Every structure is written in C-alpha cells, then in structure tokens.
Amino acid sequence: MNCKGVIRELSNYIDGELEPAIKEELERHLQHCEDCTMILDQTKKSIEILCDSEPIPLPPDLHERLHSALRERMGKKSD
Amino acid sequence: MSAADPHRLPSSVAREDEHLLVAAAKNGNDASFEELVNRYERKILRLTRNITGNQEDAEDAMQDAFMKAYAHLDGFQGDSRFYTWLVRIAANEALMRLRRRRPGQFSLDQPLEGDKDLMPRELEDWRPSPEREYAQAEIQQILGHAVEKLEPEYRIVLALRDVEELSTQETAEALGISVSAVKSRLLRARLKLRDKLSRHFRRGGLN
C-alpha cells in the first residue's frame, strides 16, 4: 500500500472498519512512513478536539422563546 | 434557567432516566418533555448551527425541531435513543433551511470526483499538545472558524458523525444517503479539518 492508499482508508482505519488484511497492510506502511503517521495522528487529534467541543451557550431569549412556544402548543393540546 | 424552575431536575439525576422521561412525556406529562428540551437544547442548537452555518436559521431550526418532536412523540418507537431521533428531526430542519439559503450549491449524494484533492497539503509537526498551549475558549474559537469554512456537505457529516457521534449507518439514515456517500464525505471532511487546524497548531503556526 502506498501513501495515497493509506489516506484513502484513513477514516475507515480510525473508525476500526477495515478488513484485517487491509488493516495489516496499512499498519505495515505506517511503520516506515513518517508523513502518513503524522497525518493519522493529527487527524485523530482533530476528531478528538471536535468531539470535546462544548455546546454553544443558548442566547437567553431563545430559551424563553422556545419554552413559551412549547407551552402554547401544550396548552392547545389540553383544550 | 433558574434553579427554582419546577421543570428542572437536579443535575444529580442520572442521564439513564431518559427513557423514563420519554415514557412520561408520551403519556402526556408535559413537564417531562420540557426536561428533555432543557437537557438537549444547547446540543441541538450546536447541531443546527454546525449544519446551517447561520445563527438565525440555527435558532429557527432548533425551535421547529422541538415543536415537531413534541407533535410526533407518539411516533417515536423507542428503537433508537430519543436523542438520536431528535438529532434526525433537527438535522432535517437545518438542512431544509440551508437548501433554501443556498439552493443547488451542495450535494450530499453526488459521487465525489476522483481523489486528486485528497492528499493533505499541510505536512508539518504540530505542537506537542494544543490543548495545553491554548485556553479552551481559544481552541473552541479556532475549531469554530475551521468548521465554518468547510463546505456544507463536509460540515454536515462531521457534525452528525463526529460531534453527535451517530454511527455511519445512523448518519446515512438521517441524511437519506448511502453509507458510502457518508464515508467518502467523512474522509474528506476529517482531512480538511486537519488541514485547517494545522495552520494554527503546527510549530511556529498562527497564534
């Protein structure tokens, strides 16, 4: 497997979705290719940073708007 | 939300009670539905913001998603997590608005052409630990800008797959596209995100 082949399978590799034979081939390439190893590590790190991202704070009026719309709808249901 | 709000359950209540809240809401207990909204409103806003890339559309999509979830609660069969079901509704609302604002500008299911653009451009070492060198708020800002600059089709799969942590299959179902269309976009999305973050996190990069 060459560098292009590794990059093409990078995402599947990270998600653990590769066939054992292809995974083995990819890992053999990683053992001697610093660039691909670096790209793999940085891509994993990017996903980690993304996973850790905090939900954005809700603008104060939005919470109120949402809940009053819901309560209005809930009120209609019980009419 | 004030601590005195009667709909707010104490934070010590375990997340595992989701199915109890859903069952109560389905039985007509509106306070339980409001608790589910309290619990997920920030996450759903993050999702709709990530998809639409526009605050106004994100807020409208979030509100409509909860209204629809309430109206169709009887249709929730419980074969997935309530949150996953909610994410699908919210993603749909957000996509509708994005398509209205950018008609014909992106496609989630067209085959992607070749892999010429696949090879990463930025090939430099990163600083050992960006999280230790940057304050959390700075990281969030850098990440926010990087995600915003991605093309919508990449932003969308990244939001569902890597932020909301849906499976590839669930992402495909939520977007009404094939698993292979999700995978090809996810690969590009992740590589592009890495490329954009590299400009900040490489040794001697932007500050």
Side-chain angles (χ1 to χ4, degrees):
Chain A
M1 188 180 283
N2 59 16
C3 294
K4 209 168 186 176
V6 170
I7 298 302
R8 217 180 284 134
E9 296 298 343
L10 202 70
S11 206
N12 288 330
Y13 179 66
I14 290 171
D15 291 336
E17 290 175 358
L18 280 186
E19 296 289 321
I22 301 178
K23 179 173 176 261
E24 208 175 295
E25 222 185 301
L26 187 146
E27 285 174 346
R28 233 185 347 257
H29 176 97
L30 289 176
Q31 277 171 13
H32 63 78
C33 181
E34 283 182 16
D35 280 356
C36 284
T37 304
M38 184 176 73
I39 292 165
L40 171 67
D41 290 344
Q42 292 173 353
T43 306
K44 278 187 185 165
K45 176 57 92 182
S46 302
I47 297 170
E48 207 178 290
I49 290 172
L50 192 61
C51 283
D52 289 345
S53 66
E54 287 288 311
I56 42 180
L58 218 59
D61 64 313
L62 180 59
H63 175 85
E64 289 313 318
R65 240 189 308 142
L66 170 63
H67 283 261
S68 67
L70 269 172
R71 282 180 192 143
E72 196 183 325
R73 174 73 179 72
M74 288 165 173
K76 278 185 193 154
K77 181 190 71 175
S78 53
D79 282 347
Chain B
M1 165 78 27
S2 78
D5 192 301
H7 303 298
R8 187 77 167 171
L9 294 176
S11 59
S12 58
V13 174
R15 287 293 181 250
E16 285 75 50
D17 65 348
E18 183 187 90
H19 68 282
L20 297 176
L21 286 170
V22 174
K26 283 181 83 157
N27 279 329
N29 184 323
D30 289 339
S32 296
F33 188 78
E34 282 207 65
E35 169 54 21
L36 289 164
V37 177
N38 288 335
R39 196 169 278 193
Y40 296 128
E41 58 191 2
R42 290 177 66 208
K43 287 179 81 175
I44 292 295
L45 182 64
R46 174 181 62 185
L47 171 71
T48 54
R49 184 81 176 75
N50 275 337
I51 293 178
T52 61
N54 173 292
Q55 184 66 21
E56 193 190 332
D57 284 353
E59 292 184 7
D60 288 348
M62 181 199 83
Q63 178 157 330
D64 286 355
F66 281 117
M67 298 296 278
K68 282 201 173 148
Y70 181 74
H72 299 287
L73 200 55
D74 281 344
F76 173 63
Q77 301 295 329
D79 44 6
S80 64
R81 263 193 74 195
F82 173 76
Y83 181 66
T84 309
W85 181 72
L86 192 57
V87 162
R88 289 179 65 157
I89 297 174
N92 227 0
E93 289 296 319
L95 270 175
M96 230 162 54
R97 282 164 178 81
L98 179 65
R99 288 200 169 106
R100 212 177 291 152
R101 211 174 266 274
R102 302 175 72 166
Q105 283 183 30
F106 69 97
S107 165
L108 286 166
D109 52 5
Q110 288 268 321
L112 297 169
E113 282 176 25
D115 46 16
K116 269 186 294 179
D117 60 336
L118 214 53
M119 290 310 284
R121 288 181 214 145
E122 300 275 344
L123 285 176
E124 283 181 69
D125 275 338
W126 284 12
R127 301 167 200 210
S129 177
E131 292 101 322
R132 252 179 259 152
E133 289 187 45
Y134 288 91
Q136 189 54 26
E138 277 178 287
I139 299 242
Q140 292 298 317
Q141 205 181 14
I142 291 169
L143 181 69
H145 286 311
V147 172
E148 253 171 50
K149 282 188 199 137
L150 293 173
E151 291 88 339
E153 59 261 50
Y154 300 135
R155 220 168 51 211
I156 293 163
V157 287
L158 216 49
L160 290 173
R161 188 69 184 77
D162 285 341
V163 182
E164 303 308 328
E165 299 184 61
L166 262 57
S167 68
T168 310
Q169 182 68 40
E170 286 169 337
T171 304
E173 283 168 12
L175 297 173
I177 60 176
S178 66
V179 164
S180 70
V182 172
K183 284 187 171 191
S184 59
R185 277 157 184 78
L186 185 63
L187 168 64
R188 281 167 172 76
R190 286 170 167 177
L191 290 172
K192 279 169 186 271
L193 180 68
R194 186 210 71 94
D195 239 36
K196 290 184 193 306
L197 293 181
S198 273
R199 291 167 209 170
H200 293 271
F201 297 152
R202 70 189 173 198
R203 288 176 198 275
L206 297 170
N207 281 310

